[in-house]
Amino acid sequence: RWWRAARIGTVWGIGHGISVTAMVLALYALKGRSTGAGMSAIGQFLSRWTECAIGVSLIAIGLLGLVEARQGFARASEPEGRSLCAASNDAYEPERRGGSAAAILLNGMLCGLSWDGAPSFAPALAMASWGGALLFVAAYNFSTIVVMSACVSLIGEGTRRSADSTKSTRNLPLRLSLISSLVAVGVGLLWALKGVLAQR
């Protein structure tokens, strides 16, 4: 449901914000003490290792999603004839999976370390004071949390309502899970490969 989806998006956004805030504070502190070449070297170091870590994270998420989708399809074909939508809801019930909030938070923190997002928070480094930099980062983090929560809510509630509307779309959540998990594995492999090649 949308409120559970919003909670997932919020937790991920908070994790992302923690990493972004830490990066901005560290880079802002180094702003006047390090040369452009030094800042570039720090950025390249972060980029290389976080690209690999994010890629591995996406692969793990994709594989976990494939296992859950398979379990959902298996439950849907059980003799009592439960719908695919019910099986899908069971597979993704947050309360039944311990530690999922911590895993989502950690994934958000990991993704927040991606150097690809640097241009979006770079204006914080151009601020004349710590107060300005912190205000910018606070607004950046707030908007990230709101947008992520809204997107995940729309996807969660939208697929749920579509699955409930007609018999032909009852398996939509599980199919989307299967497809998105395969995409996550593929993107993760490319992302990890990008990080490995960047280290050469």
Side-chain angles (χ1 to χ4, degrees):
R1 297 305 301 263
W2 68 267
W3 57 86
R4 289 182 180 147
R7 186 171 57 195
I8 291 169
T10 299
V11 171
W12 189 94
I14 289 170
H16 189 275
I18 290 169
S19 295
V20 167
T21 301
M23 272 206 308
V24 168
L25 293 178
L27 292 172
Y28 196 88
L30 292 171
K31 186 169 76 165
R33 303 176 186 178
S34 182
T35 63
M39 295 287 276
S40 177
I42 292 169
Q44 288 177 0
F45 174 80
L46 280 174
S47 177
R48 289 171 186 165
W49 292 106
T50 57
E51 299 294 333
C52 289
I54 291 170
V56 170
S57 167
L58 284 172
I59 293 168
I61 289 168
L63 292 175
L64 179 62
L66 289 172
V67 169
E68 290 177 344
R70 184 176 170 217
Q71 290 171 348
F73 279 114
R75 275 195 290 275
S77 62
E78 286 174 359
E80 63 263 24
R82 299 169 66 222
S83 71
L84 284 168
C85 185
S88 175
N89 290 336
D90 285 350
Y92 300 102
E93 195 72 47
E95 286 78 5
R96 299 185 185 189
R97 295 174 50 205
S100 62
I104 294 165
L105 181 74
L106 289 172
N107 184 259
M109 290 174 69
L110 179 62
C111 291
L113 291 173
S114 173
W115 202 245
D116 289 345
S120 58
F121 62 75
L125 303 178
M127 297 292 174
S129 68
W130 279 99
L134 289 172
L135 185 61
F136 181 90
V137 172
Y140 175 90
N141 291 339
F142 177 76
S143 61
T144 299
I145 291 168
V146 169
V147 170
M148 180 58 71
S149 297
C151 288
V152 177
S153 295
L154 287 172
I155 293 168
E157 190 69 17
T159 54
R160 181 183 177 90
R161 289 190 181 195
S162 296
D164 288 341
S165 63
T166 62
K167 289 183 179 179
S168 62
T169 58
R170 278 191 186 154
N171 60 351
L172 182 63
L174 286 172
R175 283 185 180 175
L176 284 176
S177 173
L178 187 64
I179 293 167
S180 60
S181 296
L182 289 170
V183 170
V185 171
V187 171
L189 287 170
L190 291 174
W191 212 318
L193 184 62
K194 177 184 170 187
V196 169
L197 293 177
Q199 295 182 47
R200 294 186 175 184

